[in-house]
Amino acid sequence: MKALRWLPWAALAVLPLLLHSNFILTIFIFSFILGMTAVSFNLVFGFTGQLSMFHAAAFGLGAYITYLAVSLWHVSFWIALLPSTAFTIAISLVVGAICFKFKLKAFYFAVVTLAFSELARLVVLNWNSVTNGTLGLMVLDKPVLWLPGAGSVKIDGTTAWYYFSLAGLLLTVAVCAIVLRSWIGRCFAAIRLNEDLAQTLGIDIFRYKLLSFMIANVLAALAGSFYAFYIGYIEPGYLSIAQSLDIIAMVLVGGRSSIIGPIVGAFVLTGLPHVIELSAEVRVILYGLILILTILLMPNGIVGTLMGRRRAA
Amino acid sequence: MVQLLIGQALNGVIVGTLYGIIALGVTLTFGITGIVNFALGEFMMIGAYLTWYLVDVAGLPFAVALLPAVVGAAGCGFVADQLLFRFTRNNLINGLLVSIGLISVVESGALLLWSATPKDMSYVLTGSVQLATISLPEMKLVVFALLAAVILLTYAALSRTWMGRAAYAFAQNAEAAMLMGVKTARLQSGVVVYSTALAGFGGALYASLYSLEPAMGGMYILKGVEAAILGGIGSPLGSLVGGIILGVTEAIGSIYLPSAFRDAYGLVFIVGILLYRPSGLFGSDR
């Protein structure tokens, strides 16, 4: 049973050997990177029960800072992740502390985090000298990885990015799994199920909500950096509300009660509209319909529904 | 300078009443069905395009086109309610996601139908009123008067009529209201449809002042939600006042600060109000 869990990952690992279609592998890369974002978002949303709208901001700010560090200080991608992570931690602590100190819940927490996220987007949009405004920035660098036997390898091309983003996704899943299986995860669950009771039992809900918010944002910033360096382009739209909503949609379509649910959601919402050849407008309509139908017909998401079936059978 | 200030403030009031009418829809829907209908902006867009179509393509006079445009938007609202929102009552997140999906569908549909090129409706009233040294376009005054009247009438209807009191009762305690003979399912559908009619009305008037594009709804729903929170969720007058405060701040703020930051004021308001007075300016303390 335990070995079965690794089967999908193994299948994903050998896929590029069997399949030489760049088109399909590209869809997989996008799904992996957006899956990283969705999985990390689900830590704060599905497992801690807080509807954060700050996720796109963390994703976008991470991307911008990593790129700016690379281009201004001429350091490698890996070193540049440090300031980006540090900044994400700092801003998560500030925003999270404000929201949680004032005990904002549900809708109100969503609105205030959304407001901070939009403020961050407006700063990025209008700070022309650094971010180049609406035009965005070209990211010409690629991460360099040292591999045993091959030396330094530049991550370039579809197959390389396939494995790179798969590794990123695996890392995100691993971090979430470790956190959720520890006492921290149980505190998150307690907060999600009954915040007042959790507090009565001596759980410092302020601290654990903040921790959940912070870990999720740091992982989102990592995903944002991956995304920027894969596409080779950053623009303020990374921080938009639409981006936040896309992430929520992936989590809900896939199912928020499991770690891997959001990955399935990322595949469905990124992949399906592209599998069939359609014009851009029809593709967005299809996206909207998938979203509406899954919410109405499968309220627990695809993974939640499948697992429920299996349990019932 | 004073002239510019006053002129901008008046413009702000008019845009603010447009925010207010969306805010009223947001506030009513949230109070009665427990969801925030983010697709309200799309019904505004539908109302605006219907008006443009009826006036510029079919050649009807503006005053005649208003009613079918509002009915059209409300009809779309009824279909959306029966097909979608009926199943997301009191489920904030599902309601959010369903309305987001609806935005994707409606906005892309509008792009296919009318393309992204902005549409300008022919002017309805071209005259302007001189107030000392300030000239005010007549149409803006008419729009302001109509929107404010609708919001005030809604407020009066909510506090004076049986239906309105039933709605308040339902918002306070759904079960008790049901036991007192309030037809809850019909009330909820009615409020959703009414809020889309309000949005359609706002859109129809919007068409007489500004140019239309399929993405217009997105901005107005955000401002509407901000205005609703600012005024206090559940308060019809609050949504009007919240909308006007937001509109005036944006208009005056753009004189002193780069206009790029115009969208930021509402956000700063929201953060402030939710931290220090979560029930909004007009909301009752719970």
Side-chain angles (χ1 to χ4, degrees):
Chain A
M1 195 60 213
K2 199 138 202 190
L4 264 181
R5 191 171 288 165
W6 292 95
L7 206 63
W9 295 103
L12 286 176
V14 295
L15 186 76
L17 306 177
L18 309 171
L19 197 84
H20 298 287
S21 156
N22 271 352
F23 173 70
I24 294 178
L25 289 185
T26 307
I27 291 179
F28 272 85
I29 297 173
F30 276 107
S31 306
F32 288 156
I33 301 180
L34 293 172
M36 288 168 74
T37 329
V39 167
S40 63
F41 168 71
N42 199 30
L43 195 64
V44 70
F45 174 60
F47 290 102
T48 322
Q50 312 295 319
L51 177 53
S52 160
M53 296 289 281
F54 197 70
H55 221 62
F59 180 83
L61 290 173
Y64 267 99
I65 293 171
T66 308
Y67 169 71
L68 289 173
V70 167
S71 69
L72 297 178
W73 301 332
H74 305 288
V75 291
S76 74
F77 176 78
W78 305 103
I79 308 276
L81 284 177
L82 295 177
S84 143
T85 307
F87 181 81
T88 313
I89 291 177
I91 199 160
S92 305
L93 288 179
V94 172
V95 171
I98 291 174
C99 291
F100 297 133
K101 202 92 214 165
F102 282 89
K103 300 196 167 65
L104 295 175
K105 280 178 196 155
F107 176 59
Y108 294 99
F109 177 70
V111 170
V112 172
T113 44
L114 176 77
F116 279 115
S117 176
E118 274 292 280
L119 288 172
R121 186 182 68 88
L122 287 171
V123 169
V124 168
L125 186 66
N126 293 311
W127 199 352
N128 282 315
S129 57
V130 176
T131 63
N132 202 18
T134 28
L135 296 175
L137 297 159
M138 298 295 283
V139 184
L140 298 173
D141 280 307
K142 294 281 172 198
V144 175
L145 200 63
W146 188 86
L147 289 176
S152 302
V153 183
K154 197 173 216 181
I155 314 281
D156 208 352
T158 309
T159 313
W161 267 100
Y162 180 91
Y163 283 110
F164 191 55
S165 52
L166 181 60
L169 181 64
L170 205 53
L171 173 76
T172 310
V173 169
V175 170
C176 288
I178 290 168
V179 167
L180 289 170
R181 281 197 195 147
S182 68
W183 88 97
I184 303 174
R186 288 195 285 279
C187 290
F188 288 174
I191 291 170
R192 179 188 75 230
L193 294 168
N194 189 336
E195 207 175 306
D196 295 329
L197 183 60
Q199 192 163 28
T200 320
L201 292 175
I203 295 171
D204 187 344
I205 56 170
F206 175 76
R207 186 182 298 174
Y208 282 102
K209 280 202 245 176
L210 199 55
L211 186 65
S212 165
F213 188 60
M214 195 187 77
I215 300 174
N217 284 339
V218 166
L219 291 173
L222 179 71
S225 309
F226 271 53
Y227 196 75
F229 278 77
Y230 172 59
I231 297 197
Y233 176 66
I234 322 180
E235 45 125 2
Y238 278 33
L239 287 80
S240 67
I241 300 176
Q243 182 85 14
S244 270
L245 294 172
D246 281 354
I247 300 166
I248 300 179
M250 287 171 200
V251 170
L252 282 184
V253 166
R256 59 175 138 162
S257 50
S258 63
I259 296 180
I260 55 151
I263 307 176
V264 176
F267 268 99
V268 171
L269 287 178
T270 337
L272 267 194
H274 286 271
V275 173
I276 323 158
E277 195 66 35
L278 292 169
S279 72
E281 287 89 359
V282 181
R283 199 171 281 169
V284 179
I285 292 182
L286 188 63
Y287 174 91
L289 288 179
I290 296 174
L291 188 53
I292 292 175
L293 289 178
T294 349
I295 300 296
L296 293 183
L297 302 178
M298 292 189 268
N300 296 323
I302 297 171
V303 171
T305 308
L306 291 179
M307 299 232 285
R309 283 269 163 75
R310 203 176 58 190
R311 213 164 287 155
Chain B
M1 188 64 206
V2 177
Q3 209 174 316
L4 177 67
L5 265 179
I6 297 177
Q8 276 293 60
L10 289 172
N11 275 330
V13 170
I14 288 151
V15 177
T17 43
L18 272 173
Y19 297 161
I21 198 121
I22 303 289
L24 180 60
V26 169
T27 242
L28 290 177
T29 322
F30 187 68
I32 301 294
T33 66
I35 70 159
V36 178
N37 183 356
F38 272 91
L40 271 183
E42 304 313 304
F43 293 99
M44 181 182 176
M45 190 264 293
I46 291 174
Y49 269 95
L50 279 178
T51 315
W52 164 79
Y53 185 85
L54 290 170
V55 172
D56 270 18
V57 183
L60 291 178
F62 180 70
V64 179
L66 270 182
L67 185 69
V70 172
V71 171
C76 296
F78 179 73
V79 173
D81 182 64
Q82 291 304 307
L83 287 181
L84 311 173
F85 295 120
R86 199 152 58 93
F87 304 104
T88 63
R89 301 267 193 255
N90 298 317
N91 191 331
L92 185 72
I93 292 167
N94 283 4
L96 175 79
L97 266 278
V98 167
S99 52
I100 301 308
L102 189 60
I103 291 179
S104 309
V105 174
V106 175
E107 202 175 303
S108 309
L111 271 172
L112 284 176
L113 266 178
W114 295 302
S115 82
T117 329
K119 299 266 188 280
D120 287 292
M121 202 174 83
S122 51
Y123 287 110
V124 183
L125 289 174
T126 45
S128 58
V129 179
Q130 283 291 331
L131 259 175
T133 52
I134 298 146
S135 87
L136 276 174
E138 273 173 17
M139 196 57 216
K140 286 195 172 177
L141 292 175
V142 171
V143 166
F144 169 74
L146 284 175
L147 288 175
V150 166
I151 296 176
L152 292 174
L153 278 177
T154 306
Y155 169 70
L158 277 173
S159 44
R160 298 291 151 82
T161 64
W162 190 88
M163 259 319 263
R165 284 202 293 268
Y168 270 121
F170 182 79
Q172 272 174 13
N173 188 334
E175 214 161 289
M178 200 151 68
L179 292 174
M180 294 299 123
V182 175
K183 294 197 168 50
T184 52
R186 202 180 291 174
L187 177 72
Q188 289 181 315
S189 294
V191 163
V192 172
V193 174
Y194 184 64
S195 67
T196 58
L198 286 175
F201 185 63
L205 294 177
Y206 175 94
S208 69
L209 294 176
Y210 309 104
S211 53
L212 315 180
E213 47 188 335
M216 61 180 263
M219 192 198 65
Y220 271 83
I221 186 62
L222 277 185
K223 296 296 164 71
V225 171
E226 287 170 8
I229 293 172
L230 188 57
I233 290 282
S235 153
L237 282 187
S239 55
L240 176 63
V241 178
I244 291 179
I245 293 179
L246 190 57
V248 171
T249 321
E250 285 181 357
I252 292 187
S254 336
I255 304 178
Y256 297 103
L257 290 170
S259 60
F261 284 104
R262 132 183 218 119
D263 293 337
Y265 306 120
L267 302 169
V268 175
F269 273 145
I270 294 296
V271 173
I273 210 100
L274 284 184
L275 296 187
Y276 292 102
R277 197 176 152 75
S279 50
L281 295 174
F282 284 73
S284 50
D285 288 304
R286 262 168 295 171

